Amino acid sequence: QVQLVESGGGLVQAGGSLRLSCAASGSIFRINDMTMGWHRQAPGKKRELVAAVTSGGSTNYADSVKGRFIISRDNAKNTVYLQMNSLKPEDTAVYYCNADGIYTFWGQGTQVTVSS
């Protein structure tokens, strides 16, 4: 089956950095032609788009993270990353990886907690 597995979450102090990884697996699953994204959901809030990168390398960021977060992809490794810098307590959420193409896939999420 197709799987997206997030890793790299954890507890970090405000102002710190963290890098999330999302590895795609499955015997025939490749992210090459898919838009990859990161979404997050804070307690009591709806899931929101954080960043996305198209198959051509174009990126899009939520205003709240622009200039602080960087999304990147390594198709050879079938992996997408989210480098998070200058973290703020309001960045605390469960972060989900997704792959969007003909079909859409979601990971199970990884917790990011930023202490003040």
Side-chain angles (χ1 to χ4, degrees):
Q1 288 187 307
V2 173
Q3 286 186 301
L4 296 175
V5 181
E6 301 98 335
S7 62
L11 176 64
V12 65
Q13 188 174 340
S17 298
L18 209 59
R19 189 172 82 151
L20 306 182
S21 298
C22 172
S25 64
S27 60
I28 61 171
F29 183 31
R30 298 293 182 269
I31 69 170
N32 301 47
D33 299 322
M34 308 183 77
T35 293
M36 303 299 297
W38 288 95
H39 295 70
R40 68 186 181 188
Q41 187 167 21
K45 297 183 179 180
K46 294 182 178 180
R47 191 173 299 186
E48 64 174 346
L49 173 69
V50 176
V53 57
T54 69
S55 60
S58 297
T59 58
N60 185 267
Y61 298 92
D63 288 342
S64 59
V65 307
K66 191 172 184 179
R68 298 189 297 120
F69 291 10
I70 301 171
I71 188 170
S72 61
R73 64 192 298 154
D74 188 336
N75 291 343
K77 295 181 178 179
N78 227 24
T79 301
V80 63
Y81 306 94
L82 184 67
Q83 178 66 46
M84 304 184 293
N85 301 315
S86 301
L87 283 162
K88 305 174 180 179
E90 50 263 45
D91 294 320
T92 296
V94 176
Y95 284 70
Y96 298 90
C97 174
N98 93 303
D100 191 17
I102 298 174
Y103 306 99
T104 300
F105 304 94
W106 290 90
Q108 292 299 307
T110 185
Q111 177 71 48
V112 172
T113 302
V114 184
S115 62
S116 60

